[in-house]
């Protein structure tokens, strides 16, 4: 795999200059506490809900063309066990979570291990809207307009060593802020991983928002992974650590129930979960079940990543 050093990638190449400058301007305005000026909601509403419009979000040609679910579906029906195990718990219990300041530890097989401030680090990256299908392993699905940056661009800037074959992500561990962590339903902190070629695929993003606004806490503020051809649990939320490794990471769901959840977790209607079928799904807001598509409908883009791999064994 070709990984160029950041010094070789001028920002003018990854970001049209005007966008880059405007984004800097927004960050500076936001830092100065004037964020309310850029918000479409009334100032009171935005303060109460921590909602703020993200400026200069460009549409992506990699978006699905289906109609997105409602904002209420996307933000009111979630799995985020750090805030409880019912689908309504994350929205109810994450309201007071404060996702700033936020730093991410970058370590393992990387040129320079470092602790980076999220806002400073992401400043140069242009934001894209990516409308993706999300298919939970529990057989429900949604279509969500995420706002984020390609994970590949982030990884290139972090400069993993050539020996890095996987990337592991870890969620914040802090039971005082994430009360669900007092309950041992999973081994905390939540951990997920991708093979390096999966992480570098253009569909993989780090999301910082949805519906043109900053990410609500229940959706994984301030930054979470979205990998649209995999079951939802790969989309780890509230990331505080990125570690490059030559060993396949042990992800939380696999650790908890290895017979039911594997490392790959590719959406696959032909491989049932031991306790239920994966052939169909219920789209939130719809009555009739839909047929689940191979790789969640992204087979054309991602199937080649798995040629030669037995997807029954590597579930
Ligand atoms: N840290 C953490 N990330 C997580 C989870 C979780 O419990 N903890 N749940 C996962 C599961 S099972 C799903 S389906 C998605 C759902 O959240 P979303 O609707 O915001 O994508 O988040 C994933 N990320
Ligand atoms: Mo899920």
């Amino acid at each position: 795999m070709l990984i160029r050093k950041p010094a070789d990638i001028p920002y003018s190449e990854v970001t049209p200059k005007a966008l880059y400058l405007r984004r800097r301007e927004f960050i500076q305005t936001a830092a100065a506490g004037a964020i309310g000026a850029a918000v479409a909601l009334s100032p009171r509403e935005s303060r109460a809900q921590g909602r703020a419009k993200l400026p200069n979000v460009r549409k992506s040609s990699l978006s699905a063309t289906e109609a997105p679910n409602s904002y209420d579906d996307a933000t009111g029906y979630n799995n985020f066990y750090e805030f409880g195990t019912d689908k309504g718990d994350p929205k109810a219990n994450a309201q007071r979570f404060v996702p700033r300041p936020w730093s991410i530890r970058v370590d393992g097989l990387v040129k320079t291990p470092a602790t980076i401030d999220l806002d400073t680090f992401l400043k140069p990256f242009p934001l894209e809207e990516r409308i993706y299908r999300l298919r939970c392993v529990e057989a429900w699905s949604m279509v969500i307009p995420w706002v984020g940056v390609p994970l590949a661009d982030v990884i290139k800037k972090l400069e993993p060593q050539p020996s890095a074959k996987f990337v592991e992500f870890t969620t914040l561990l802090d039971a005082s802020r994430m009360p669900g962590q007092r309950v041992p339903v999973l081994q905390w902190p939540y951990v997920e991983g991708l093979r390096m070629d999966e992480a570098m695929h253009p569909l993989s993003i780090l999301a910082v928002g949805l519906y043109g606004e900053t990410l609500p806490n229940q959706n994984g503020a301030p930054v979470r992974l979205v990998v649209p051809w995999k079951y939802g649990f790969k989309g780890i939320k509230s990331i505080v650590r990125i570690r490059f490794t030559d060993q396949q990471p042990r992800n939380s769901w696999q650790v908890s129930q290895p017979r039911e959840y594997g490392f790959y977790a590719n959406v696959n209607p032909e491989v049932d979960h031991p306790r239920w079928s994966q052939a169909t799904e219920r789209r939130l807001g719809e009555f009739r079940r839909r047929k689940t598509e191979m790789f969640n409908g992204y087979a054309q883009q991602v199937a080649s990543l798995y040629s030669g791999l037995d997807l029954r064994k590597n579930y």
Side-chain angles (χ1 to χ4, degrees):
M1 187 191 319
L2 180 79
I3 298 175
R4 290 191 296 171
K5 295 195 253 62
D8 300 334
I9 310 171
Y11 286 133
S12 56
E13 184 185 315
V14 289
T15 317
K17 195 170 181 199
L19 268 180
Y20 167 49
L21 291 174
R22 262 182 284 145
R23 174 132 178 81
R24 277 184 67 97
E25 202 175 271
F26 165 68
I27 300 279
Q28 281 156 7
T29 315
I35 200 163
V39 164
L41 303 156
S42 79
R44 213 176 76 215
E45 194 182 8
S46 73
R47 261 200 308 278
Q49 304 181 10
R51 288 173 65 172
K53 192 167 153 52
L54 291 163
N56 306 322
V57 178
R58 61 184 190 189
K59 308 259 181 238
S60 167
S61 58
L62 296 172
S63 282
T65 50
E66 291 158 280
N69 277 85
S70 69
Y71 182 89
D72 286 349
D73 282 346
T75 61
Y77 189 92
N78 307 95
N79 279 328
F80 196 171
Y81 277 21
E82 285 84 343
F83 292 102
T85 56
D86 288 342
K87 301 286 180 279
D89 284 347
K91 184 179 176 184
N93 300 332
Q95 289 307 310
R96 277 173 303 153
F97 183 75
V98 180
R100 288 290 188 288
W102 197 268
S103 58
I104 298 182
R105 180 68 194 163
V106 179
D107 60 5
L109 301 172
V110 67
K111 188 176 173 203
T112 317
T115 300
I116 56 179
D117 173 72
L118 179 70
D119 294 324
T120 312
F121 179 79
L122 287 184
K123 208 181 285 185
F125 292 93
L127 295 177
E128 291 183 27
E129 178 173 84
R130 295 280 182 95
I131 303 171
Y132 281 161
R133 287 177 289 278
L134 169 100
R135 183 14 171 110
C136 176
V137 75
E138 296 167 81
W140 48 268
S141 66
M142 287 193 235
V143 178
I144 300 179
W146 301 105
V147 178
V149 301
L151 179 58
D153 294 349
V154 169
I155 288 179
K156 282 178 201 151
K157 193 170 167 188
L158 296 177
E159 291 187 87
Q161 295 172 11
S163 54
K165 297 288 177 281
F166 299 89
V167 54
E168 179 194 76
F169 303 87
T170 307
T171 295
L172 176 70
L173 178 66
D174 184 348
S176 71
R177 296 164 72 193
M178 294 180 149
Q181 289 178 340
R182 298 196 192 106
V183 188
V185 279
L186 286 174
Q187 192 177 294
W188 308 114
Y190 196 100
V191 176
E192 260 305 338
L194 295 172
R195 225 168 54 186
M196 197 60 105
D197 59 341
E198 298 177 319
M200 298 299 286
H201 192 280
L203 287 173
S204 299
I205 61 166
L206 281 182
V208 296
L210 43 68
Y211 296 85
E213 299 177 2
T214 49
L215 211 53
N217 292 336
Q218 61 269 33
N219 292 91
V223 64
R224 54 86 57 85
L225 186 65
V226 180
V227 189
W229 69 93
K230 292 179 180 281
Y231 290 122
F233 68 81
K234 297 298 284 185
I236 181 172
K237 298 175 170 179
S238 307
I239 296 166
V240 293
R241 185 180 181 195
I242 298 177
R243 184 175 73 93
F244 296 96
T245 167
D246 54 5
Q247 311 280 317
Q248 183 172 297
R250 283 162 52 80
N251 49 317
S252 291
W253 282 101
Q254 184 184 25
V255 168
S256 135
Q257 294 178 74
R259 262 181 23 82
E260 303 193 355
Y261 307 108
F263 173 76
Y264 282 94
N266 290 317
V267 174
N268 189 342
E270 288 161 21
V271 177
D272 287 339
H273 185 277
R275 290 184 280 141
W276 60 81
S277 164
Q278 295 291 28
T280 65
E281 66 202 52
R282 191 180 71 84
R283 175 76 45 89
L284 259 73
E286 291 182 358
F287 178 70
R288 272 182 64 145
R289 296 185 73 84
R290 289 175 177 250
K291 278 204 160 101
T292 289
E293 291 180 78
M294 190 65 203
F295 297 113
N296 206 19
Y298 298 96
Q300 226 186 337
Q301 293 98 312
V302 303
S304 64
L305 294 177
Y306 308 104
S307 56
L309 194 72
D310 182 344
L311 296 177
R312 289 194 172 272
K313 275 195 197 138
N314 297 281
Y315 51 87

